[in-house]
Amino acid sequence: LESFKKSKLKQHQNLATICGYPLSIFFIIVNEFCERFSYYGMRTVLVLYFKYFLLWDEDFATTIYHTFVALCYLTPILGAIVADSWLGKFKTIVYLSIVYAIGQVVMAVSAISDITDTDKNGTPDNMTFHIALSMLGLILIALGTGGIKPCVSAFGGDQFQDHQEKQRSTFFSIFYLSINAGSLISTLTTPMLRAHKCGQTQQDCYPLAFGVPAALMVVALIVFIIGSPMYTKNPPEGNIMVKFGKCVGFAVKNRFRHRSSQYPKREHWMDWAEEKYDKLLIAQVKMVLKVLFLYIPLPMFWALFDQQVCVYTAPQQMGALTIQPDQMQTVNPILILILVPVMDSVVYPLISKCFNFTPLKRMTVGMFFAALAFVAAALVQIQIDKTLPDFPSSTQGQVKFINMVNSKLEIQADNHKINLGAFEASEDYLTFNNKFFLFLGPKQNHSVTLDNGKNIRLTFNDITSKPEKGANAIRFLNGFGSFLNITVRDEVFNFTSNMSQYLNISQGNAKFIIKDNNGNVCDYTQELGFGSSYTLIIPPTFRFGDCSENITSVMDMEPNSFHMAWQIPQYFLMTSGEVVFSVTGLEFSYSQAPSNMKAVLQAGWLLTVAVGNIIVLIVAEAAKLPDQWAEYILFASLLVLVCIIFAIMGYFYTYIDPAKIEAQFAEMDPEKKEKMKNLEMPRKGSVEGHKEERRSSDSSCDDEETRQTKI
C-alpha cells in the first residue's frame, strides 16, 4: 500500500512537464550552475587573496589553499551519510546550502579592508579579525560544497520515472554542461571583478570578487527552494556506506578473535563476516575492496593536478597577456570541453584499432601526461630564472654608481673599474660586502661604507624579488637641490633625503607630473612593461619645460620577457591527463562495482582527491628545495614512480562482471532473487570526480556510457 501511495504521489508531482521532462529538473540545473559559479569563482582568486590581502607568503598561502581543497573532498562522505540515513537529499541540500551561502558572505565581508583600516593606508589595522573571518568562511564553504556534492545529481535522477530513461540520460548531459558553464564563466569573470578598484584606497576589489559568488549561491538556494512543491522527495532508506563499513569492521574484528592457528583459514579475509552478514553483501564488499585497492596510488595524480592554481609559474615572473593572470585558469575548462568529445570520438577508436586500450592503461597514460605537464612547467621555470636578476645575500649589498657632476668620471671600486659620463649610471648593480675601497681619480682615495658618497651617488638595490603582479618598481633621484612634488596616476612619490621610495606602477604608458613650490610643472612619460624597475634621475641641471630632455631613466631590473602563453602547453598536458585519467577511472570503477555500492566508490574517489592535497603539504614541507623548477621535477618523478607501480597493479588485475556474480548468488538462494530485483540502486549519475562527475545511466546496467561532469 505504501509503495502504491508513493507511486501515485510521484506521478502527481511529475505531471508538470516541459517537452516530456519534469519541470523540477530545471530548478536543479539552474541551482547547479549558480553553485558551481560560486565555488569556482571564489577559488579562482583565493590564493591571490591570501598573498596580497592577508599578506601571507606564497608557501603559507599554498598550504592553506590545499588544506581547504582537501576539506572540500572529505566532507562529501558526511553529506552522503546525513542524506541517506537521516535528513534525505532535499533537506540536506537546503540546510547545507544555507551554511554554504553564509560562508560565502563571510568571505566577502572578510575582504573589506575599510572595516579596520582606520588610518586609510590600504592595509587593515586588525589583520587577525580578517584572518579569523576568512578561516570561518572557508570552513563553512567546505562543509557546504562538500556536503551537497553527493546529493544534487542524485536528487535530479530521483525526479524521473522508470519509463523516462531517455530523458534522464539527456538531463545528465545538460547537468554536465551547466557545471562546466558555471566553472568557465566564473573563472573568466571573477578575476575581472578582482581587478576592479574599490574602497577608500582604490585597491583590488576582493569584496566584489567574493561578493558576486556569494550572491550566486544565495540565488542557487532560492531557486532550489522555489521548486520544492514539484520535487520527488524520497525518504532516507539507510546508507550503504555505513553497511559497508560495519561489514568490513566485523570481518576484521572476527578475524582478530580467531587469529589462532587452531582455526581453519578462509579463502578471503572478508569471509570472516559470514557469521553476521549474508554472502551476497560480502561478495559485493569484496568487489568494492578490489577496486579500492587500485585507488591507493591515485592521490599522487591529484597532488600534481591541484597545484595548477598556486604553484604553476608565478604571473609576476612572466610577461602578461591582455587578460588577468588568474584568468589563465580558464584554459582548463575550455580544453575539457574540447578534449572530452575528441578523446571519445577520435582518439580512443583509433587506438583501439591498434591494440586493446583498457581502462587501466588509459589511466596510466593520464598519470604520465600529468608528469609531463610538470616537466614542462619546470622547463618554463628554468627559462624564467635566466631572466631574473641576481639578488644579494643577507651579508652583501648591491650598488649602482650614478655620476651627479656635469663631467666624466673614472671610478675604481675594489676590482671594478667604471667610466661614467655626466649624469650617467653604471649599467649593472655590483655586489660588495659591507665595506669596499673606492678610488675616484688620481688624488681621491676613500674607504667608504655603502651609505656614503659626495659627488658620486651610491644607490642600493632595495628590491629582493620581482615586483608583484607584473607591476614596475619606480623611484626618483632628486638632484635638483630643491623640493619637487612628483605624482603618477594619483600616486605620490615620498622622498627620504633626495631618493624617493619605490612605487609599484602597472604596465602601460606612465605619465609623471613634476611640480615645484613656485608652480612650475612639466610632464615626463615612459612606457612600462611587466616586472621592471627604474631609477629616474633628475640632475642638478634640470629645467622645467621638456622633461624628456632633462630626466635620465636608469634600468635597475629588466622587464619580463617570457610570455605567459608558454603556460598553455603545460595546461594542455595536465588537462589531457585529467580527461584520460579521471573520466576513465570513474567509468572503470563503475563497471567493476556492484550495483548498490557505487556510492562507496564515489566516496573513495573523492577521498583520493583529499589525500592528494595532503600529499602536497607533506612533500613540499619535507623537501624545502631552493629552486621552484626542482620542486616541479620532484613531483613529476614521484608521479612517474607511482605510475609504474599502478601499471604493474593493473597488469595483474582481473576484470569482473559484477552483475553475473550477483546473479549467481540470487540463483543459489531463491529468496534473494526477489531482493535482487528490488535492490536499491544508486540514482543514475551521482558519481563525481575531482572537477568531474560521471554518471551510470542505469543502475542495472554497469557498463553503459557515463558522462563527465565538473564538481
Side-chain angles (χ1 to χ4, degrees):
L1 181 61
E2 286 298 321
S3 177
F4 176 77
K5 288 180 179 179
K6 289 180 182 178
S7 176
K8 286 295 184 182
L9 177 62
K10 188 170 184 178
Q11 291 177 14
H12 173 73
Q13 289 172 323
N14 283 336
L15 285 177
T17 61
I18 297 179
C19 300
Y21 293 88
L23 183 60
S24 57
I25 67 166
F26 296 98
F27 294 93
I28 296 173
I29 289 172
V30 173
N31 165 268
E32 186 66 12
F33 169 84
C34 295
E35 188 275 328
R36 288 295 84 187
F37 184 106
S38 176
Y39 175 74
Y40 279 107
M42 177 276 303
R43 209 178 83 165
T44 298
V45 299
L46 188 58
V47 173
L48 295 179
Y49 171 73
F50 289 158
K51 291 175 61 179
Y52 303 126
F53 185 90
L54 299 184
L55 304 180
W56 291 347
D57 61 60
E58 189 165 343
D59 290 339
F60 189 63
T62 300
T63 298
I64 298 300
Y65 171 82
H66 286 290
T67 303
F68 167 69
V69 175
L71 189 59
C72 288
Y73 286 92
L74 287 172
T75 50
I77 299 175
L78 176 63
I81 293 175
V82 170
D84 290 344
S85 303
W86 181 28
L87 294 177
K89 297 184 186 71
F90 175 78
K91 289 184 178 179
T92 300
I93 294 171
V94 171
Y95 294 159
L96 290 181
S97 292
I98 294 173
V99 173
Y100 193 167
I102 293 174
Q104 291 281 31
V105 172
V106 170
M107 277 298 297
V109 173
S110 74
I112 304 175
S113 62
D114 293 346
I115 294 177
T116 62
D117 185 15
T118 55
D119 55 5
K120 298 179 174 56
N121 65 350
T123 302
D125 298 330
N126 187 357
M127 191 62 78
T128 303
F129 171 79
H130 293 274
I131 293 175
L133 276 184
S134 300
M135 295 304 99
L136 174 62
L138 290 178
I139 291 172
L140 294 177
I141 291 171
L143 183 62
T145 187
I148 68 175
K149 199 181 297 293
C151 302
V152 178
S153 59
F155 186 70
D158 289 345
Q159 308 309 306
F160 294 88
Q161 300 181 42
D162 294 338
H163 68 275
Q164 295 178 303
E165 187 58 39
K166 182 179 179 180
Q167 288 88 344
R168 181 188 288 118
S169 175
T170 305
F171 160 74
F172 283 107
S173 296
I174 300 173
F175 191 81
Y176 156 71
L177 290 175
S178 69
I179 292 172
N180 281 276
S183 169
L184 178 60
I185 296 173
S186 66
T187 306
L188 187 63
T189 58
T190 307
M192 295 180 183
L193 299 175
R194 175 195 61 78
H196 181 74
K197 303 302 179 183
C198 65
Q200 296 177 355
T201 54
Q202 292 296 295
Q203 295 184 335
D204 283 355
C205 200
Y206 289 103
L208 184 61
F210 290 141
V212 171
L216 264 291
M217 190 59 225
V218 173
V219 171
L221 175 60
I222 293 174
V223 169
F224 186 76
I225 293 176
I226 290 175
S228 177
M230 289 170 276
Y231 294 144
T232 297
K233 304 170 186 175
N234 295 332
E237 298 180 4
N239 192 281
I240 190 63
M241 285 191 289
V242 175
K243 294 180 182 178
F244 174 86
K246 288 182 177 180
C247 184
V248 172
F250 180 81
V252 172
K253 287 194 298 183
N254 199 31
R255 177 67 184 91
F256 183 76
R257 292 183 191 139
H258 301 84
R259 60 187 181 277
S260 174
S261 58
Q262 65 180 354
Y263 296 103
K265 292 184 177 181
R266 299 186 183 182
E267 183 178 355
H268 192 280
W269 63 271
M270 274 303 304
D271 292 333
W272 289 96
E274 290 180 350
E275 283 79 355
K276 186 175 181 180
Y277 296 93
D278 61 68
K279 292 185 177 181
L280 173 61
L281 179 62
I282 294 173
Q284 292 169 333
V285 171
K286 287 179 182 178
M287 287 184 273
V288 171
L289 290 174
K290 190 176 180 181
V291 177
L292 290 178
F293 177 71
L294 286 175
Y295 281 0
I296 294 175
L298 304 190
M300 199 64 217
F301 173 87
W302 301 118
L304 274 69
F305 181 84
D306 265 334
Q307 293 186 67
Q308 292 181 96
V309 175
C310 50
V311 188
Y312 266 6
T313 307
Q316 65 265 23
Q317 299 173 349
M318 307 186 75
L321 298 166
T322 56
I323 62 174
Q324 297 295 324
D326 35 0
Q327 285 181 309
M328 282 295 293
Q329 297 175 52
T330 58
V331 174
N332 177 259
I334 291 173
L335 286 175
I336 284 179
L337 294 174
I338 296 173
L339 289 176
V340 168
V342 170
M343 290 290 183
D344 289 339
S345 305
V346 180
V347 177
Y348 293 155
L350 288 177
I351 295 177
S352 298
K353 292 181 179 180
C354 301
F355 61 91
N356 184 19
F357 198 33
T358 63
L360 293 180
K361 290 179 181 178
R362 294 183 192 178
M363 294 176 67
T364 304
V365 171
M367 297 169 79
F368 186 68
F369 273 143
L372 286 179
F374 263 55
V375 172
L379 294 176
V380 169
Q381 188 65 50
I382 290 173
Q383 295 303 314
I384 291 173
D385 290 345
K386 291 180 180 179
T387 67
L388 297 179
D390 293 326
F391 296 106
S393 67
S394 58
T395 60
Q396 295 176 320
Q398 285 187 327
V399 177
K400 182 185 287 281
F401 295 91
I402 301 176
N403 180 8
M404 296 301 291
V405 296
N406 194 16
S407 62
K408 293 182 179 179
L409 193 62
E410 181 180 293
I411 306 169
Q412 185 172 335
D414 286 352
N415 297 324
H416 301 283
K417 188 174 182 180
I418 306 166
N419 292 306
L420 296 178
F423 310 119
E424 283 187 355
S426 55
E427 184 175 349
D428 298 313
Y429 275 97
L430 304 178
T431 301
F432 296 97
N433 294 319
N434 186 47
K435 284 192 175 184
F436 63 92
F437 187 78
L438 179 65
F439 176 75
L440 301 174
K443 294 183 180 180
Q444 301 183 59
N445 294 337
H446 304 277
S447 179
V448 300
T449 58
L450 293 183
D451 56 356
N452 289 333
K454 191 175 181 182
N455 290 330
I456 183 166
R457 174 74 189 187
L458 307 178
T459 70
F460 309 104
N461 189 3
D462 300 326
I463 302 178
T464 58
S465 64
K466 275 280 189 177
E468 298 287 359
K469 298 187 280 188
N472 302 272
I474 309 297
R475 65 179 176 180
F476 275 86
L477 172 58
N478 182 9
F480 186 55
S482 64
F483 171 80
L484 292 175
N485 176 273
I486 305 175
T487 59
V488 57
R489 299 173 185 169
D490 297 327
E491 298 279 353
V492 180
F493 285 89
N494 296 314
F495 282 84
T496 302
S497 181
N498 57 352
M499 180 69 78
S500 76
Q501 297 178 348
Y502 278 107
L503 274 183
N504 285 335
I505 310 299
S506 60
Q507 177 267 348
N509 191 36
K511 182 179 180 180
F512 301 90
I513 302 175
I514 304 172
K515 301 178 182 179
D516 66 2
N517 289 329
N518 298 322
N520 296 313
V521 180
C522 74
D523 299 339
Y524 172 77
T525 59
Q526 181 167 335
E527 188 68 28
L528 301 177
F530 294 90
S532 65
S533 176
Y534 292 90
T535 298
L536 303 180
I537 304 172
I538 301 176
T541 58
F542 174 77
R543 297 291 181 268
F544 283 93
D546 188 359
C547 289
S548 60
E549 295 293 332
N550 295 290
I551 296 177
T552 302
S553 176
V554 177
M555 181 183 292
D556 299 333
M557 191 183 303
E558 293 184 359
N560 302 336
S561 57
F562 207 75
H563 206 277
M564 283 185 67
W566 283 104
Q567 287 186 328
I568 294 177
Q570 63 205 47
Y571 271 105
F572 175 79
L573 289 169
M574 181 59 77
T575 306
S576 298
E578 175 190 5
V579 171
V580 176
F581 172 86
S582 186
V583 176
T584 305
L586 286 167
E587 186 175 356
F588 160 78
S589 301
Y590 265 55
S591 69
Q592 298 296 290
S595 55
N596 66 330
M597 289 197 177
K598 299 184 188 298
V600 179
L601 283 177
Q602 177 185 354
W605 184 267
L606 295 175
L607 187 61
T608 65
V609 181
V611 174
N613 281 270
I614 295 173
I615 289 175
V616 175
L617 304 179
I618 296 173
V619 174
E621 187 66 27
K624 291 292 185 183
L625 298 174
D627 296 316
Q628 185 70 68
W629 66 266
E631 185 172 314
Y632 294 151
I633 294 297
L634 172 63
F635 276 101
S637 301
L638 290 175
L639 184 56
V640 170
L641 177 62
V642 169
C643 184
I644 294 172
I645 295 173
F646 182 76
I648 296 173
M649 295 170 64
Y651 178 79
F652 290 101
Y653 181 83
T654 303
Y655 291 83
I656 61 173
D657 186 345
K660 289 184 178 180
I661 295 176
E662 291 174 334
Q664 290 174 0
F665 280 94
E667 292 174 1
M668 294 169 55
D669 190 350
E671 293 182 1
K672 290 189 174 60
K673 195 166 185 178
E674 187 65 25
K675 179 181 177 180
M676 286 293 296
K677 290 182 180 179
N678 298 320
L679 197 60
E680 177 69 19
M681 297 298 179
R683 282 298 169 185
K684 301 77 184 172
S686 62
V687 174
E688 298 182 22
H690 183 58
K691 289 187 70 186
E692 298 178 4
E693 292 179 2
R694 299 282 287 180
R695 70 160 184 86
S696 172
S697 60
D698 187 4
S699 57
S700 63
C701 183
D702 296 323
D703 58 350
E704 282 195 21
E705 178 186 6
T706 57
R707 299 189 182 276
Q708 174 203 26
T709 56
K710 277 182 169 296
I711 300 185

